[in-house]
Amino acid sequence: MPQRADIVKKAASYEGYLAGKGYDQANQFSTLLGHPGEAWCGDFVTAIYKLCGLPLPSMQPHLPTGFSYVPDGWAYGHAHHATKSSWEAQPGDIVCFDWTGAGTCTSGAQTHTGLVAEWLAGTITTIEGNSGPAGGVNRHQRPAAVGVGNPDICGVIDAGQLVRFSQDPAPAPAHVEHPPPFEGRTLMLKTPPMSGDDVHAWQAQMSRRGWKLDSAHAFDARARQVCEQFQQQKGLPVTGSVDARTWAAAWADPVTPA
C-alpha cells in the first residue's frame, strides 16, 4: 500500500508538464478522470491519488473520486473534520488556497489547490497543477510560520483522514510558538489610546493573522473590536482587553479566518 512519500514522488514526476497557455486547456489529468478541458488543479490532485492506487473519496457531488471544484473539496474536508493549519501539513496533504485572503475557499474563481511536498522551518513546499500562466505542473515554496500561516492559504486537508497510507507516520507533535513576554499591563481602550512596544507587538501579530487594524501603534476602538472578536473566536472571556491569556493566544492558537 502506498505511503505519503509515494504521492509526493508521483506528483514530482510531472514537474515541468505543460498543458498549454491558459487555465482551461485539455490535459492528461482531466482526461484520465474522464473530464473535458477545464481548470485542472483539482483534477491534478485527484489524478495523482488515483495513479498511486489510493483514490480519494467522492468530495464533490456526481464525481466518483476527489474534486474538480476547490470550494467543494475544502467543504468536504471541513465537514469531515479533516482540515488543519498550513504549518501542520504533512507530505501528500492537500493544500487549498484562497486568493481573496478571506480564508473561506468559497469563491471558485479565486481558489486553487495542490499537494504538499513538505513543511519545514516555516516554509511550505507544494506541487501544483494548472500553476502559472503556462498552465503547467510546478513546485512552489511559500512562508507559513507557526501560528501565522500564509494569507493565501485557507488551510490543509489531512489526506490521512481520506485514505489509508501504509506505515503512515504518527502526526508530528504540535508546534508551539512562544510569544514575546507579556509585560504585565492589560491593553485596553483608554483616553488617550494606549501605545508602546507591547501594543505594537500585539497589533503586528494580529495583522499577520489576517485581522485588519486601523493603527499599528495605538490601541484604539478598532483594536478593541478585533480583540473582542478574537476572544469570541477562541473561546476566551470577551472583555475587549488584552490580558496575559489573550496575548499568548495571539501567538499559540491556530489561525482561523478573521
Side-chain angles (χ1 to χ4, degrees):
M1 186 176 292
Q3 302 178 17
R4 286 178 175 271
D6 295 316
I7 302 298
V8 177
K9 182 178 180 179
K10 176 63 72 174
S13 72
Y14 291 100
E15 285 185 63
Y17 168 81
L18 295 176
K21 292 184 178 180
Y23 291 97
D24 298 316
Q25 299 292 321
N27 64 91
Q28 67 184 73
F29 308 104
S30 299
T31 299
L32 173 70
L33 299 170
H35 300 171
E38 59 185 3
W40 51 275
C41 58
D43 288 352
F44 173 71
V45 169
T46 301
I48 292 298
Y49 269 89
K50 184 173 182 177
L51 287 165
C52 287
L54 279 180
L56 296 168
S58 174
M59 301 170 70
Q60 180 176 336
H62 311 300
L63 293 186
T65 178
F67 63 96
S68 293
Y69 186 60
V70 178
D72 278 353
W74 176 253
Y76 180 95
H78 193 268
H80 288 77
H81 308 289
T83 57
K84 55 188 178 181
S85 300
S86 55
W87 59 88
E88 299 172 303
Q90 293 177 270
D93 282 341
I94 301 167
V95 60
C96 294
F97 300 92
D98 183 345
W99 304 135
T100 70
T104 57
C105 261
T106 56
S107 175
Q110 297 295 320
T111 56
H112 179 56
T113 190
L115 291 165
V116 175
E118 68 173 357
W119 181 94
L120 181 65
T123 297
I124 188 169
T125 302
T126 60
I127 304 172
E128 303 161 26
N130 204 25
S131 170
V137 176
N138 296 288
R139 183 177 294 249
H140 299 275
Q141 288 188 322
R142 296 177 176 86
V146 174
V148 177
N150 185 295
D152 291 332
I153 297 177
C154 184
V156 171
I157 301 173
D158 183 355
Q161 301 293 323
L162 308 181
V163 299
R164 183 181 295 275
F165 295 108
S166 74
Q167 301 176 343
D168 196 16
H175 300 289
V176 177
E177 181 163 326
H178 298 288
F182 181 65
E183 294 187 1
R185 68 168 184 166
T186 298
L187 307 183
M188 64 183 70
L189 190 61
K190 290 185 174 183
T191 303
M194 296 179 72
S195 61
D197 290 344
D198 50 354
V199 172
H200 178 71
W202 181 77
Q203 303 217 117
Q205 175 64 5
M206 294 302 288
S207 294
R208 285 192 291 269
R209 293 179 66 104
W211 296 89
K212 306 299 183 184
L213 291 146
D214 295 333
S215 169
H217 302 281
F219 195 90
D220 54 15
R222 172 58 183 162
R224 181 169 70 175
Q225 181 184 44
V226 166
C227 181
E228 290 172 342
Q229 293 172 347
F230 177 71
Q231 289 169 330
Q232 184 175 26
Q233 183 188 87
K234 299 304 178 186
L236 300 170
V238 181
T239 63
S241 301
V242 182
D243 57 7
R245 188 176 173 189
T246 300
W247 176 275
W251 276 267
D253 281 21
V255 174
T256 46

